Amino acid sequence: MGKALKRQFLPWLFLLPTVLGFIVFSWYPIVLGLIVSLQKYHPIRPPQFVGLANFETLFSDPLFVTAWKNTVEFSLLSLLIGYLVPVVLAILVNEVRRGKSFYRIAYYLPAVLPGVVTAVLWRWLYDPGVGLLNTVIRVFGGQGLPWLMSADTVIPSLVFMATWAGFGSTTVVYLAALQGVPSELYEAAEIDGALVLQRLRYITLPQIRPVMLTMLILQIIGTFQVFTEPFVMTSGGPNNASLTILLLIYRYAFMYFDFGVAAAAGFILFVVLLLVTLTYFRVTARLEE
Amino acid sequence: MADIPGFPGDSIGRSEPTGRGLLSFQDFNRPRIRYGYVLLLLFLTTGAAITIFPFVWMFFSALKDSNEVFRIPPTLLPRSWQWSNFVKGWGEINLVRYFSNTIKIMAGTWFMAIIMPSLAAYSLSKMRPAFGNVVLLGFMATLMMPSQAYLIPRFLVLQKLPLIHVNLLDSYWALWLPAIVQPFNIMLLKNFFDRIPTELIESARIDGAAELRIFGQIVFPLSKPIIAVLSIFTINGVWNDFFWPMIVISTQAKQPIMVAVQLFSKGTSSMNVVMAVLFMVSVPPLVVFLVFQRFIIGGMTLGSLKG
């Protein structure tokens, strides 16, 4: 018994810091989040159990609905504008015979910029008066758009910027996947006389489908947690038109100091994203069968 | 020793993969394909130019004087190149202070996010701890947890650590300690260590080498490619990090660079100086990217295996 314990000493010494870290900063907060969501939790007063009152507060807050609506809109629009762009670009870049890495670097470049830099830069580009975008539009005889200043255009503007910032890294992943398609498949298809579009439909797309599915789920999860862009560029405005769910959580916690309601909103987000992930695993498992 | 075949990190940072595309060489005999190819290059080059342009615009705006930067219609190239904007920005934001803050945060985060997970992954891979599988499952399950969603309780944990009731807020420990939660790093490191032949470790053990020495002198050097990739991502991550430091560090003088940039951009400085600051703080990640391009792109591919 003593000997077996001794043999366990070193392995567990190596493991212990990480295990403790996971317990304290990952597992325990998940439980604590649920507990706090059932409490009246103000930083300087002792917490008090209030049942589902925080959830009731949330559901009666019209901004909670607004935040979800905006978040879902941001996510769907990101998929609509940004999901297929990297796929198409990667397939096209993959055809380039010489200088492939030039395009790869050029498209990846925006992804290298820190998120805050991107947001501040685009706040300037979107300036309705002197910004670059309206200037270009006016050169072509247009009126210019209000961009971040109007409730109708703020979310599309944020999505457009986020697409610019993010498509390069996804393109690189697809490029790697395309490089992994065995060339024998193409050769066999050519011998059978398959045309370029047929090769695309029957070889390329099926081969990168698993990666496309992974990217879809990562993009949904990522866009549901959008914070930096609206925080830096619009603070959720104008008139809460770009208030996202994470921004609302931030407001409840660090502006109203109502951590209970913030934790409740976080718990709802947590459940939603977990469901998305689990659905993804279900679908991939079924596809693999 | 480094040339054990089939190492998962072997391809990282070395040669470019040589797969082919849809078009074969025979296809290029057809004129339609050849015209199409020229159009394709034209399209991709235009796309690349549009993609890079905001960045170029940032650079030129940083060099204009305070009147020219607001001029309508704007000039593309600055009429007089105001390099002094960079000096002004450097001083106005106090770049040296925030740069050294960020370096401090980086050092501790790197230790917590790379060294600690390596030790854990090594233990799981080569030391057969009791309940190792349970621990591994506990680590991996957190891959599915959206971390932003439990931001609030994580904040509250730092405000009052369980059992010992210490408040870590407003100290760098609040950034360093949670950095140990790296399920993805652990997964990749463990996969890598699993491919190192056990005999190598066993023979060192028979020679009487201590585990920490085996780890430091055999396993760690062998794992350089994967450690390098994960380190680059960690360091970049700290440089770009904004949300979490903004929440847990309240003293402005202690903030890392991106929080400072965000505050600065909402201050009273002129737009050309703001652009100069944006450019300066983008240089380190750009240089890292251009120098370690192969590693980073190799790492992105590892990332796609995540799902």
Side-chain angles (χ1 to χ4, degrees):
Chain A
M1 183 62 194
K3 219 174 185 180
L5 266 181
K6 212 177 160 194
R7 215 180 299 133
Q8 283 301 317
F9 177 70
L10 261 184
W12 267 93
L13 191 68
F14 277 38
L15 264 182
L16 202 63
T18 311
V19 169
L20 274 179
F22 268 78
I23 292 173
V24 175
F25 298 113
S26 194
W27 287 108
Y28 174 60
I30 292 172
V31 180
L32 186 67
L34 189 56
I35 296 172
V36 172
S37 71
L38 302 174
Q39 288 175 333
K40 181 92 199 143
Y41 197 108
H42 189 280
I44 51 165
R45 282 189 285 269
Q48 196 187 341
F49 181 81
V50 291
L52 294 173
N54 292 327
F55 290 91
E56 278 163 25
T57 309
L58 270 182
F59 289 127
S60 61
D61 180 357
L63 285 185
F64 184 65
V65 182
T66 310
W68 269 110
K69 207 187 104 261
N70 292 340
T71 306
V72 171
E73 192 187 329
F74 182 87
S75 186
L76 289 181
L77 208 55
S78 298
L79 288 177
L80 197 70
I81 296 178
Y83 181 65
L84 285 179
V85 172
V87 182
V88 174
L89 270 181
I91 290 173
L92 294 180
V93 170
N94 200 40
E95 294 309 320
V96 173
R97 295 293 147 131
R98 237 185 243 170
K100 210 179 275 185
S101 53
F102 163 75
Y103 294 109
R104 206 169 46 181
I105 292 174
Y107 292 139
Y108 192 78
L109 213 60
V112 178
L113 290 189
V116 170
V117 170
T118 308
V120 176
L121 171 64
W122 279 80
R123 204 171 64 200
W124 165 235
L125 299 180
Y126 276 144
D127 189 286
V130 291
L132 175 68
L133 284 159
N134 273 358
T135 307
V136 173
I137 292 176
R138 288 193 195 113
V139 165
F140 290 103
Q143 284 276 302
L145 289 167
W147 304 110
L148 303 172
M149 302 294 179
S150 144
D152 296 326
T153 49
V154 62
I155 287 188
S157 303
L158 290 175
V159 167
F160 184 71
M161 182 205 75
T163 306
W164 176 80
F167 80 93
S169 53
T170 323
T171 305
V172 163
V173 172
Y174 282 125
L175 265 173
L178 288 169
Q179 292 287 304
V181 178
S183 48
E184 299 88 59
L185 288 181
Y186 288 120
E187 278 146 26
E190 277 153 24
I191 290 167
D192 292 341
L195 298 171
V196 176
L197 282 181
Q198 286 171 319
R199 286 173 228 163
L200 178 71
R201 175 151 165 23
Y202 294 107
I203 299 173
T204 313
L205 290 179
Q207 286 282 321
I208 62 169
R209 205 173 55 180
V211 183
M212 285 179 68
L213 197 61
T214 307
M215 290 295 131
L216 179 71
I217 218 71
L218 288 180
Q219 199 175 339
I220 293 175
I221 292 175
T223 49
F224 265 59
Q225 300 180 58
V226 61
F227 175 83
T228 302
E229 294 86 351
F231 181 82
V232 174
M233 299 176 75
T234 63
S235 312
N239 200 8
N240 294 316
S242 61
L243 178 76
T244 64
I245 191 71
L246 218 58
L247 213 54
L248 186 71
I249 293 175
Y250 174 84
R251 278 190 194 171
Y252 265 113
F254 302 103
M255 288 167 79
Y256 315 147
F257 299 105
D258 202 337
F259 284 84
V261 179
F267 180 74
I268 294 172
L269 177 64
F270 179 81
V271 171
V272 169
L273 289 181
L274 206 60
L275 285 178
V276 172
T277 314
L278 291 177
T279 315
Y280 162 68
F281 281 128
R282 257 240 172 109
V283 172
T284 35
R286 197 172 299 159
L287 279 181
E288 268 160 21
E289 266 167 22
Chain B
M1 210 193 273
D3 288 311
I4 298 162
F7 246 36
D10 266 1
S11 56
I12 302 170
R14 293 206 185 153
S15 61
E16 207 158 323
T18 49
R20 51 158 283 179
L22 284 166
L23 300 176
S24 67
F25 282 109
Q26 283 86 342
D27 286 326
F28 277 88
N29 294 330
R30 289 165 46 202
R32 266 181 61 190
I33 297 273
R34 258 191 268 164
Y35 288 131
Y37 186 70
V38 173
L39 277 181
L40 170 76
L41 290 186
L42 218 62
F43 174 76
L44 288 178
T45 311
T46 315
I50 295 173
T51 306
I52 298 173
F53 193 72
F55 192 77
V56 176
W57 186 252
M58 170 168 92
F59 182 65
F60 286 148
S61 299
L63 285 164
K64 293 172 181 173
D65 66 39
S66 337
N67 290 325
E68 197 187 348
V69 77
F70 287 114
R71 230 184 75 114
I72 304 174
T75 47
L76 175 60
L77 290 173
R79 274 179 305 183
S80 63
W81 299 63
Q82 301 288 322
W83 293 99
S84 61
N85 289 342
F86 286 92
V87 182
K88 226 186 268 174
W90 181 282
E92 276 181 29
I93 194 180
N94 199 345
L95 207 60
V96 177
R97 176 204 280 162
Y98 294 111
F99 185 75
S100 61
N101 288 350
T102 309
I103 297 291
K104 274 180 221 156
I105 296 168
M106 235 176 232
T109 304
W110 182 80
F111 182 81
M112 295 304 275
I114 304 288
I115 301 296
M116 286 306 183
S118 306
L119 286 173
Y122 175 70
S123 172
L124 288 174
S125 175
K126 297 290 181 218
M127 295 169 81
R128 279 188 243 134
F131 306 110
N133 282 336
V134 180
V135 171
L136 186 66
L137 189 73
F139 288 163
M140 290 309 123
T142 62
L143 268 175
M144 289 197 295
M145 313 293 181
S147 60
Q148 304 280 46
Y150 54 95
L151 164 117
I152 299 299
R154 219 164 8 132
F155 176 87
L156 297 175
V157 164
L158 288 168
Q159 195 178 42
K160 195 171 146 193
L161 275 189
L163 304 175
I164 49 175
H165 300 303
V166 178
N167 184 350
L168 294 178
L169 292 180
D170 206 27
S171 83
Y172 289 155
W173 291 105
L175 299 171
W176 291 332
L177 291 182
I180 204 172
V181 179
Q182 302 290 347
F184 191 54
N185 289 5
I186 292 175
M187 181 177 83
L188 291 178
L189 286 161
K190 184 181 172 295
N191 286 349
F192 201 94
F193 296 159
D194 283 346
R195 306 282 284 269
I196 296 176
T198 313
E199 303 85 64
L200 210 65
I201 315 282
E202 301 270 278
S203 62
R205 277 185 194 143
I206 289 164
D207 291 343
E211 282 303 325
L212 205 58
R213 250 190 77 189
I214 299 177
F215 176 78
Q217 297 189 344
I218 300 176
V219 176
F220 205 75
L222 268 179
S223 318
K224 260 189 231 147
I226 186 81
I227 303 267
V229 170
L230 298 181
S231 299
I232 292 169
F233 277 87
T234 304
I235 286 170
N236 254 339
V238 172
W239 185 264
N240 297 346
D241 204 6
F242 162 70
F243 191 16
W244 187 240
M246 176 185 74
I247 291 173
V248 298
I249 308 287
S250 44
T251 310
Q252 210 198 317
K254 287 196 219 165
Q255 293 284 13
I257 190 92
M258 284 309 148
V259 182
V261 169
Q262 197 274 138
L263 283 169
F264 180 74
S265 79
K266 293 192 168 166
T268 52
S269 290
S270 178
M271 201 37 92
N272 49 351
V273 179
V274 171
M275 289 296 139
V277 167
L278 290 191
F279 184 79
M280 285 189 283
V281 300
S282 306
V283 168
L286 271 173
V287 170
V288 167
F289 170 66
L290 292 175
V291 172
F292 298 104
Q293 201 220 111
R294 291 270 157 83
F295 278 93
I296 291 173
I297 285 171
M300 292 288 311
T301 327
L302 289 177
S304 69
L305 304 175
K306 196 172 176 177

